[in-house]
Amino acid sequence: MTAASSSLRDRRVTTHIGLALGLCVAVCFVTGILSHWIQHPPDWFWWPSRPVWLYRVTQGAHVITGVMAIPLLLAKLVVVYPKLFERPVIGSPARLLERLSIAVLVAATIFQLVTGLFNTAHWYPWTFFFTTTHHAMAYVVVGSIVVHVAVKLPIIRDALDAGRRRGGEQDERGPVHPGAVREEGDADDGATPDHERRLVSRRTVVRSAWAAAGVAAVVTAGQTVTPLRRLAVLAPRSGDGPQGLPVNRTADQAGIVEAATDPAYRLRIVGPGIERVLTHAELAALPQHTVALPIACVEGWSAEATWTGVRLSDLVALVDRSGANGARMVSLERGAYAVSDVPGGHVRDPKTLIALAVNGQRLDLDHGYPCRLIAPNLPGVMQTKWLARIEVS
Ligand SMILES: Nc1nc2c(c(=O)[nH]1)N[C@H]1C(S)=C(S)[C@@H](COP(=O)(O)O)O[C@H]1N2
Ligand SMILES: [Mo]
């Protein structure tokens, strides 16, 4: 390999891209683990029902930083590409370990970004495998990043220090400042037209990556931030569903059309040793409340709507006067989305409704008719549609 491949400028570029990538991965990791804990809470975990928009923000950030990481990772790979083929391939045990950690890092990161992206596109060639693997692999990515950063720390520090020493003179195109940035073995003598061409194209790659990451951020944010919605070209479900709200699985796909429209439909509220059974008309005759709450899907899209229905706490009080620790929503549907456990704090929150209407109209069949849960600050996947039963614990 020529000395040019590790010129200081290259190392600065690699370091900066690496830092941006690391930041995206860090945000992605923290928000992802959070989302996982909300859906599968460990004993010590507590998640508030307010502010109502919190999950919308954390999960939006998860998907935005995940999408931004894709061009950054590609640029990082292009910039370090020649090094991947450096000889010796194996070398010393330390070098072997370093290369192995990079291989694991790259593979695991690509896996995360690809499976995450497929998931936002609602394409699960792997269904159950997805959440568990995406979750487990997150630790692999973060672990291998820690090893990678530890190994590269001297290079990273040098590159950042050199950048600082250059001060305001920031134009990568400008003449290299002699004593300040050039090091022995640096590739000034390599500034042949060939070398220059390579640098230019590398610069193009890096700039394109920054631009692509910016565009990715904006179009992904469009799924959540209403003024940007028209830009949400990457958002599979930003288009309008019935009643101005996206649908991720229709009544037809869930196979509940018959059960949901059956006049014999009843909502069962099951408490300790007691059960109350309500028709749709009886539900509609209970005190109705209207709240504005977003649905924030784990896939990153979210949408605000105005919901009308019965307070969950009022229904729980029909079977349990002591105040619930939690309530389990059970859908008419079977399978992955059939059940969701609502924590006690959310059950007691007056904004948590069993909704019968959205945006001023009776719930569309696709939005959960006859009734569905809508709770503040919970992932969309927990907002169970087509409720059959509420179990109070
Ligand atoms: N029974 C049932 N409830 C469900 C789902 C489902 O497929 N079946 N999808 C969930 C997911 S992932 C989301 S994001 C929201 C979407 O609600 P919407 O389709 O009314 O927008 O419903 C949730 N509730
Ligand atoms: Mo969702």
Side-chain angles (χ1 to χ4, degrees):
M1 217 54 251
T2 65
S5 68
S6 64
S7 81
L8 189 55
R9 183 190 287 162
D10 284 0
R11 269 179 273 156
R12 284 186 53 216
V13 168
T14 314
T15 299
H16 284 156
I17 293 255
L19 284 177
L21 187 55
L23 193 68
C24 283
V25 170
V27 172
C28 226
F29 178 72
V30 171
T31 52
I33 294 295
L34 188 62
S35 182
H36 179 84
W37 284 335
I38 297 168
Q39 293 170 66
H40 310 277
D43 283 341
W44 53 266
F45 185 76
W46 172 79
W47 181 244
S49 62
R50 304 292 175 96
V52 302
W53 43 261
L54 187 57
Y55 182 78
R56 185 182 202 184
V57 169
T58 64
Q59 194 59 15
H62 181 75
V63 176
I64 289 170
T65 50
V67 173
M68 285 178 76
I70 293 170
L72 293 176
L73 177 68
L74 288 177
K76 177 101 170 138
L77 287 175
V78 169
V79 172
V80 301
Y81 180 77
K83 300 197 76 169
L84 299 180
F85 298 94
E86 260 171 22
R87 307 284 149 165
V89 173
I90 293 179
S92 68
R95 184 175 154 77
L96 177 63
L97 202 64
E98 188 209 334
R99 300 212 113 193
L100 264 178
S101 83
I102 290 179
V104 171
L105 172 58
V106 170
T109 307
I110 290 175
F111 179 89
Q112 287 303 74
L113 297 179
V114 168
T115 54
L117 197 67
F118 278 17
N119 186 50
T120 67
H122 220 231
W123 185 40
Y124 303 93
W126 45 65
T127 320
F128 289 109
F129 167 65
F130 170 74
T131 39
T132 40
T133 318
H134 196 71
H135 174 233
M137 201 63 101
Y139 292 98
V140 176
V141 169
V142 167
S144 53
I145 284 181
V146 169
V147 172
H148 181 60
V149 168
V151 168
K152 299 288 185 191
L153 208 53
I155 294 177
I156 294 172
R157 207 183 310 115
D158 280 1
L160 292 180
D161 280 354
R164 233 167 269 133
R165 263 182 274 131
R166 282 179 61 159
E169 193 199 345
Q170 30 74 293
D171 187 1
E172 287 166 28
R173 197 191 309 247
V176 177
H177 205 52
V181 291
R182 211 169 286 146
E183 284 182 356
E184 251 197 303
D186 258 0
D188 188 47
D189 51 326
T192 58
D194 250 13
H195 173 56
E196 193 48 36
R197 249 201 308 282
R198 186 182 63 73
L199 269 186
V200 167
S201 74
R202 200 174 279 198
R203 213 150 46 209
T204 309
V205 166
V206 169
R207 288 191 179 153
S208 311
W210 289 121
V215 169
V218 170
V219 299
T220 312
Q223 308 180 82
T224 292
V225 185
T226 314
L228 298 178
R229 175 138 297 172
R230 278 187 309 141
L231 298 177
V233 293
L234 285 183
R237 262 164 308 290
S238 64
D240 289 331
Q243 302 170 320
L245 198 62
V247 168
N248 77 338
R249 207 141 68 105
T250 64
D252 209 27
Q253 287 165 337
I256 52 74
V257 173
E258 218 174 299
T261 54
D262 188 336
Y265 168 83
R266 299 288 184 274
L267 177 67
R268 296 170 184 281
I269 324 279
V270 185
I274 173 172
E275 181 179 83
R276 291 290 302 268
V277 181
L278 298 168
T279 64
H280 187 265
E282 285 166 338
L283 276 170
L286 290 171
Q288 303 291 302
H289 300 270
T290 297
V291 298
L293 285 179
I295 285 210
C297 181
V298 291
E299 300 156 14
W301 65 262
S302 64
E304 179 109 4
T306 305
W307 307 89
T308 303
V310 185
R311 280 189 180 142
L312 178 56
S313 56
D314 288 351
L315 291 176
V316 165
L318 295 176
V319 298
D320 177 12
R321 287 262 149 224
S322 62
N325 293 320
R328 168 168 288 190
M329 307 292 128
V330 183
S331 177
L332 290 171
E333 173 192 10
R334 272 152 235 286
Y337 299 89
V339 166
S340 128
D341 288 314
V342 182
H346 291 75
V347 172
R348 289 184 291 274
D349 192 306
K351 285 202 177 199
T352 301
L353 301 184
I354 299 305
L356 305 176
V358 63
N359 293 336
Q361 295 169 8
R362 196 188 77 176
L363 270 189
D364 189 280
L365 196 50
D366 286 341
H367 286 310
Y369 173 88
C371 65
R372 64 104 45 91
L373 174 76
I374 184 77
N377 200 29
L378 280 187
V381 67
M382 295 178 74
Q383 317 272 13
T384 311
K385 305 195 278 191
W386 313 298
L387 283 177
R389 215 163 61 244
I390 297 174
E391 299 170 2
V392 182
S393 50

